[in-house]
Amino acid sequence: MKNTIGQSITFTLFGESHGEAIGGVLDGLTPGIEVDMDFVKKCLDKRKGINALSTPRREEDEVEFLSGVFNGKTTGTPLAFIIRNKDTKSADYGEMKNVARPSHADFTAEMKYMGFQDYRGGGHFSGRLTAPIVVAGAIIMSALNKKGIEIGTHIKSLGTVTEKSFNGANADEIKTIFEKDFPVLDEDMGHKMQEEILKAKEDADSIGGVLETMVTGLPAGVGEPWFDSLESVMSHALFSIPGVKGVEFGGGFEMCNKRGSEVNDSLRTDGEKVYSETNYSGGINGGISNGMPIIVRTGIKPTPTIGKTQDTINFKTMENTEIKGKGRHDPAIIHRAAIVVSCMTAITVADSLALRFGTNYLTDK
Ligand SMILES: Cc1cc2nc3c(=O)[nH]c(=O)nc-3n(C[C@H](O)[C@H](O)[C@H](O)COP(=O)(O)O)c2cc1C
């Protein structure tokens, strides 16, 4: 469905970086979900990132609801909203119009949209388009929280720095991360990561890393095998985020080279609940949630636009040339992408819950 994702709860994304506005439409939401604007604002602020580590582009990100919200709650009709683009400096991009930034979407957009694309600021492929994902995801996330489902994302590794993983049983870790400007479990590692970002910035370069997301409180039995298995829909959604180059669940690729006896999750019960002692499966078996926390890691590549001179092409004159990033860019996007990944996960998990238990599962009523 191109710019729409989901089956029962659908989310449509639209806009360009330097166009009039960006926005989204959430359809299939149950009536009665509280639209907590303080929470939405807090999530949007996280996406903006910390000043010294992030793009100097400063947008207010003021959300204007067009439909679907009445007296602070969802009505159940399509919830449409826009965020106007205000801090645009399109002149920065004029002379680069036909020169493709290496590893950005300039050349591929030209191939698909045949020269009609709005190229300014990366157009439809700008990280700015992740703001509506955060608005939609934050609205859904507060509804999920009321059902005891928590979602959080931390930076597992950045450059050469790696921090510990989620404990796996501790939903408090999610709350702790949410209160931090830089989403890590270990403050010391967080400082080291920030130093790496600043070093990359000094070198007119960029750096990437891996995010780790945990979902707690999701009941067993959610997911629609084969083709809408929980892993399939989650990775589909996560790979849609610009800059994402890998998604793995639980023990991931590392586990795949081991023996079964080393990584099988032994099942246990206390007479009522079923749980496993380890969670190499990342909370999913057969594409269906097993009641353990969902663990998913998302690889975020280094920001493609950098201040160093790189080889590229002019795709109009078909000549080889060079490019040096102008415009306003992040030396790293990973700390900003963390909330985007959490919000995208919220949208997907809510859709899978709605398919399993019905759309009204998330109502406040
Ligand atoms: C929150 C966020 C901010 C981003 N900011 C930038 C940026 O400032 N400069 C840039 O070149 N890419 C940025 N990106 C990444 C590009 O949008 C992305 O690499 C590009 O669209 C190509 O897509 P791909 O990397 O998935 O192939 C950002 C991505 C996200 C998620």
Side-chain angles (χ1 to χ4, degrees), residues 47 55 101 103-105 125-127 130 241-245 301 303-305 328-330 333 336-337 340:
R47 198 202 68 90
T55 171
R101 284 169 295 170
S103 294
H104 211 294
F125 300 91
S126 165
T130 57
I241 299 170
V244 169
K245 283 293 170 191
K301 76 183 196 186
T303 321
T305 311
R328 295 167 291 173
H329 304 286
D330 303 81
I333 55 179
R336 301 181 58 206
V340 180

Coordinates of all heavy atoms in Angstrom, one line a residue, residues 47 55 101 103-105 125-127 130 241-245 301 303-305 328-330 333 336-337 340, ligand 1:
R47 N 12.5 13.2 19.4 CA 12.9 13.1 18.0 C 13.8 14.2 17.5 O 14.6 14.1 16.6 CB 11.7 12.9 17.1 CG 11.9 12.3 15.7 CD 10.8 12.7 14.8 NE 10.9 14.1 14.5 CZ 11.6 14.7 13.5 NH1 12.2 13.9 12.6 NH2 11.6 16.0 13.3
T55 N 20.9 18.0 14.0 CA 20.8 19.1 13.0 C 20.4 20.4 13.6 O 19.6 20.5 14.6 CB 19.7 18.7 12.0 OG1 19.5 19.8 11.1 CG2 18.4 18.3 12.6
R101 N 23.4 12.7 -3.5 CA 24.3 12.4 -2.3 C 24.5 10.9 -2.2 O 23.5 10.2 -2.2 CB 23.5 13.0 -1.1 CG 23.6 14.5 -0.9 CD 22.6 15.0 0.1 NE 21.2 14.7 -0.3 CZ 20.2 14.9 0.6 NH1 20.4 15.3 1.8 NH2 19.0 14.6 0.1
S103 N 24.5 7.3 -1.0 CA 23.8 6.6 0.0 C 22.5 7.3 0.5 O 21.9 6.8 1.4 CB 24.6 6.1 1.1 OG 25.6 5.2 0.7
H104 N 22.2 8.4 -0.1 CA 20.9 9.0 0.1 C 19.9 8.6 -1.0 O 20.3 7.8 -1.8 CB 21.0 10.6 0.3 CG 20.0 11.1 1.2 ND1 18.6 11.1 1.0 CD2 20.1 11.8 2.4 CE1 17.9 11.6 2.0 NE2 18.8 12.0 2.9
A105 N 18.7 9.1 -1.0 CA 17.7 8.6 -2.0 C 17.6 9.5 -3.2 O 16.6 9.4 -3.9 CB 16.4 8.5 -1.2
F125 N 11.9 11.8 1.4 CA 12.9 10.8 2.0 C 13.7 11.4 3.1 O 14.6 10.8 3.7 CB 13.8 10.3 0.9 CG 13.0 9.6 -0.2 CD1 12.6 10.3 -1.3 CD2 12.6 8.3 0.0 CE1 11.8 9.6 -2.2 CE2 11.8 7.6 -0.9 CZ 11.4 8.3 -2.1
S126 N 13.2 12.6 3.6 CA 13.9 13.3 4.7 C 13.5 12.6 6.0 O 12.3 12.1 6.2 CB 13.4 14.7 4.7 OG 13.8 15.3 5.9
G127 N 14.4 12.6 7.0 CA 14.1 12.2 8.3 C 13.0 12.9 8.9 O 12.3 12.5 9.9
T130 N 9.6 11.5 9.7 CA 9.4 10.6 10.9 C 8.6 11.3 12.0 O 8.1 10.6 12.9 CB 10.7 10.0 11.4 OG1 11.6 11.1 11.8 CG2 11.5 9.2 10.4
I241 N 11.6 2.9 8.0 CA 12.2 4.1 8.6 C 13.5 4.4 7.9 O 14.3 3.5 7.7 CB 12.5 3.9 10.1 CG1 11.2 3.7 10.9 CG2 13.2 5.1 10.7 CD1 11.4 3.2 12.3
P242 N 13.7 5.7 7.4 CA 14.9 5.9 6.6 C 16.2 5.7 7.4 O 16.2 6.1 8.6 CB 14.8 7.4 6.3 CG 13.5 7.9 6.9 CD 12.8 6.8 7.5
G243 N 17.2 5.1 6.8 CA 18.4 4.8 7.5 C 18.5 3.5 8.2 O 19.6 3.1 8.6
V244 N 17.4 2.7 8.2 CA 17.4 1.4 8.8 C 17.9 0.4 7.8 O 17.5 0.2 6.7 CB 16.0 1.0 9.3 CG1 16.0 -0.5 9.7 CG2 15.5 1.8 10.5
K245 N 19.0 -0.4 8.2 CA 19.6 -1.4 7.3 C 19.6 -2.8 7.9 O 20.1 -3.7 7.3 CB 21.0 -0.9 7.0 CG 21.1 0.2 6.0 CD 20.6 -0.3 4.6 CE 20.4 0.9 3.6 NZ 19.7 0.5 2.4
K301 N 22.1 3.1 9.9 CA 23.4 3.4 9.2 C 23.9 4.8 9.6 O 23.1 5.6 10.0 CB 23.2 3.2 7.7 CG 22.5 4.3 7.0 CD 22.3 4.0 5.6 CE 21.9 5.2 4.8 NZ 21.6 4.9 3.4
T303 N 24.6 8.6 9.1 CA 23.9 9.6 8.3 C 24.6 9.8 6.9 O 25.8 10.0 6.9 CB 24.0 11.0 8.9 OG1 23.8 10.8 10.3 CG2 22.9 12.0 8.4
P304 N 23.9 9.6 5.8 CA 24.6 9.7 4.5 C 25.2 11.1 4.2 O 26.3 11.1 3.6 CB 23.5 9.4 3.5 CG 22.2 9.2 4.2 CD 22.5 9.2 5.7
T305 N 24.5 12.2 4.5 CA 25.1 13.5 4.1 C 26.2 13.8 5.1 O 26.0 13.9 6.3 CB 24.0 14.6 4.2 OG1 22.9 14.1 3.5 CG2 24.5 15.9 3.6
R328 N 21.7 21.3 6.6 CA 21.9 21.0 8.0 C 21.6 19.6 8.3 O 20.6 19.0 8.0 CB 20.9 21.9 8.7 CG 21.2 23.4 8.5 CD 20.1 24.3 8.9 NE 18.9 24.2 8.1 CZ 17.8 24.8 8.3 NH1 17.6 25.5 9.4 NH2 16.8 24.6 7.5
H329 N 22.6 18.9 8.9 CA 22.5 17.5 9.0 C 23.0 17.0 10.3 O 23.8 17.6 11.0 CB 23.4 16.8 7.9 CG 22.9 17.3 6.5 ND1 21.8 16.8 6.0 CD2 23.5 18.2 5.7 CE1 21.6 17.4 4.8 NE2 22.6 18.3 4.6
D330 N 22.6 15.8 10.6 CA 23.0 15.2 11.9 C 24.2 14.3 11.7 O 24.3 13.5 10.9 CB 21.9 14.2 12.4 CG 20.5 14.8 12.5 OD1 19.9 15.0 11.4 OD2 20.1 15.2 13.6
I333 N 22.1 9.9 13.6 CA 20.6 10.0 13.7 C 20.1 9.0 14.7 O 18.9 9.1 15.1 CB 19.9 9.8 12.4 CG1 20.3 8.4 11.7 CG2 20.2 10.9 11.4 CD1 19.7 8.1 10.4
R336 N 18.0 10.1 17.7 CA 16.7 10.7 17.3 C 15.8 9.5 16.8 O 14.6 9.6 16.9 CB 16.9 11.7 16.2 CG 17.8 12.9 16.7 CD 17.9 13.9 15.5 NE 16.6 14.4 15.1 CZ 16.3 14.9 13.9 NH1 17.3 14.9 13.0 NH2 15.1 15.3 13.6
A337 N 16.4 8.5 16.2 CA 15.6 7.4 15.6 C 15.0 6.5 16.7 O 14.0 5.8 16.4 CB 16.5 6.6 14.7
V340 N 11.4 7.1 17.2 CA 10.7 6.8 16.0 C 10.5 5.2 15.9 O 9.4 4.8 15.6 CB 11.5 7.2 14.7 CG1 10.8 6.8 13.5 CG2 11.8 8.7 14.8
Ligands
LIG1 C1 15.3 10.9 12.5 C2 16.1 10.9 11.2 C3 16.9 12.0 10.8 C4 17.6 11.9 9.6 N1 18.4 13.0 9.3 C5 19.2 12.9 8.2 C6 20.1 14.0 7.8 O1 20.1 15.0 8.5 N2 20.8 13.9 6.7 C7 20.8 12.7 6.0 O2 21.6 12.7 5.0 N3 20.0 11.7 6.3 C8 19.2 11.8 7.3 N4 18.4 10.7 7.7 C9 18.5 9.4 6.9 C10 18.0 9.6 5.5 O3 16.7 10.1 5.5 C11 18.1 8.2 4.7 O4 19.3 7.6 4.9 C12 17.7 8.3 3.3 O5 16.3 8.6 3.2 C13 18.0 7.1 2.5 O6 17.2 6.0 3.0 P1 18.0 4.6 3.4 O7 19.1 5.0 4.2 O8 16.9 3.9 4.2 O9 18.4 4.0 2.1 C14 17.6 10.7 8.8 C15 16.8 9.6 9.2 C16 16.1 9.7 10.4 C17 15.3 8.5 10.8

